[in-house]
């Protein structure tokens, strides 16, 4: 990593297994077909289990991503409207972020529970809940997870439920204090569901923030 001011913050004893994290600066960043189209700077963040040597994508908890950019890099963009964004395979999706400005340096941080390509973006006025890519294809090499990104500024409990069209509960995913969740197309028994339309409901605290297909 050339920019040593970009970092991850992981609480001590947050995860049971020993991990090593990698942050790679990416110059050739993907371009979205909708706003925000571009990231100002981008980093591919990955992790590996030190015992099994397997790559880790779903963290099983949250960590803090702190991305660094500068006033020179953002140009005419509004420095107070920056956010950490992740690439979901189609679009840049912004996370609830905190901005710290120290001279020419800008630090943008957000909590996340999965690893992928992250960048500093200029926030678009998006809905409280964003979902994508939709559709997605489990077990494929690309677009194999669907992400749910939402506001959770009070670090409340989160519940994501997935049903089939007959009303049978396929998957119930719970976590606490996170700003995003994902579904890999598997049911409660670990099997991949059949292709088709599924219903979701996302609940943050006591409030239902989204329903859809």
């Amino acid at each position: 990593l050339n920019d040593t001011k970009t970092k991850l913050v992981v609480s001590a004893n947050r995860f049971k297994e020993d991990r090593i994290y990698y942050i790679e600066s990416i110059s050739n960043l993907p371009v979205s077909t909708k706003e925000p189209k571009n990231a100002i700077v981008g980093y591919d963040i990955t992790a590996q289990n030190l015992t099994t040597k397997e790559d880790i994508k779903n963290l099983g908890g949250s960590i803090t991503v702190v991305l660094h950019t500068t006033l020179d890099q953002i140009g005419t963009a509004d420095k107070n409207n920056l956010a950490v964004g992740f690439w979901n395979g189609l679009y840049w999706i912004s996370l609830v972020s905190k901005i710290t400005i120290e001279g020419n340096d800008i630090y943008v941080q957000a909590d996340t529970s999965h690893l992928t390509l992250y960048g500093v973006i200029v926030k678009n006025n998006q809905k409280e809940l964003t979902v994508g890519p939709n559709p997605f294809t489990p077990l494929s090499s690309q677009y194999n997870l669907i992400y749910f990104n939402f506001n959770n500024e009070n670090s409340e409990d989160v519940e994501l439920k997935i049903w089939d069209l007959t009303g049978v509960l396929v998957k119930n995913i719970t976590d606490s204090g996170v700003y995003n969740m994902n579904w890999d197309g598997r049911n409660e028994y670990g099997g991949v569901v059949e292709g088709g339309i599924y219903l979701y409901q996302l609940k943050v605290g006591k409030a239902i923030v989204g329903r859809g297909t």
Side-chain angles (χ1 to χ4, degrees):
L1 177 66
N2 295 327
D3 187 349
T4 58
K5 295 180 179 180
T6 285
K7 61 184 179 180
L8 302 178
V9 179
V10 183
S11 300
N13 302 318
R14 183 69 176 88
F15 304 106
K16 294 181 180 179
E17 74 273 17
D18 292 329
R19 301 175 172 185
I20 184 170
Y21 294 87
Y22 301 95
I23 305 176
E24 180 185 0
S25 178
I26 304 297
S27 57
N28 188 21
L29 295 169
V31 178
S32 172
T33 56
K34 66 178 184 180
E35 297 294 341
K37 291 186 176 181
N38 301 285
I40 298 167
V41 294
Y43 302 90
D44 187 25
I45 302 177
T46 57
Q48 187 180 72
N49 185 310
L50 285 178
T51 302
T52 64
K53 306 302 181 183
E54 294 180 344
D55 292 335
I56 299 171
K57 281 293 184 184
N58 298 316
L59 295 176
S62 62
I63 64 173
T64 301
V65 177
V66 183
L67 303 185
H68 171 256
T69 186
T70 66
L71 292 173
D72 296 331
Q73 287 176 318
I74 70 171
T76 59
D78 182 359
K79 61 181 181 294
N80 296 310
N81 199 36
L82 300 177
V84 173
F86 71 89
W87 179 252
N88 73 356
L90 294 173
Y91 313 117
W92 288 103
I93 304 296
S94 69
L95 299 174
V96 177
S97 304
K98 176 183 177 182
I99 303 168
T100 303
I101 302 174
E102 298 178 358
N104 191 51
D105 295 313
I106 303 174
Y107 301 90
V108 190
Q109 72 178 60
D111 293 333
T112 186
S113 55
H114 74 283
L115 298 180
T116 183
L117 179 61
Y118 286 87
V120 175
I121 62 173
V122 179
K123 286 189 296 185
N124 188 29
N125 292 325
Q126 61 181 32
K127 298 178 182 179
E128 185 176 5
L129 171 67
T130 57
V131 182
N134 192 8
F136 75 110
T137 306
L139 301 183
S140 65
S141 60
Q142 196 174 22
Y143 311 143
N144 55 10
L145 296 170
I146 184 168
Y147 294 100
F148 299 79
N149 179 59
F150 45 89
N151 295 329
N152 190 9
E153 295 180 354
N154 295 321
S155 298
E156 296 182 276
D157 293 337
V158 181
E159 180 182 57
L160 173 64
K161 289 185 175 182
I162 309 290
W163 296 272
D164 65 21
L165 290 181
T166 68
V168 174
L169 181 65
V170 173
K171 188 72 173 181
N172 186 32
I173 306 170
T174 59
D175 208 334
S176 181
V178 298
Y179 296 90
N180 51 74
M181 301 180 83
N182 63 69
W183 180 45
D184 60 2
R186 296 181 183 273
N187 59 28
E188 292 285 7
Y189 305 101
V192 177
V193 301
E194 295 182 0
I197 298 174
Y198 291 83
L199 310 174
Y200 73 82
Q201 174 183 284
L202 184 78
K203 188 176 180 181
V204 178
K206 297 182 179 180
I208 295 173
V209 300
R211 293 189 177 102
T213 58

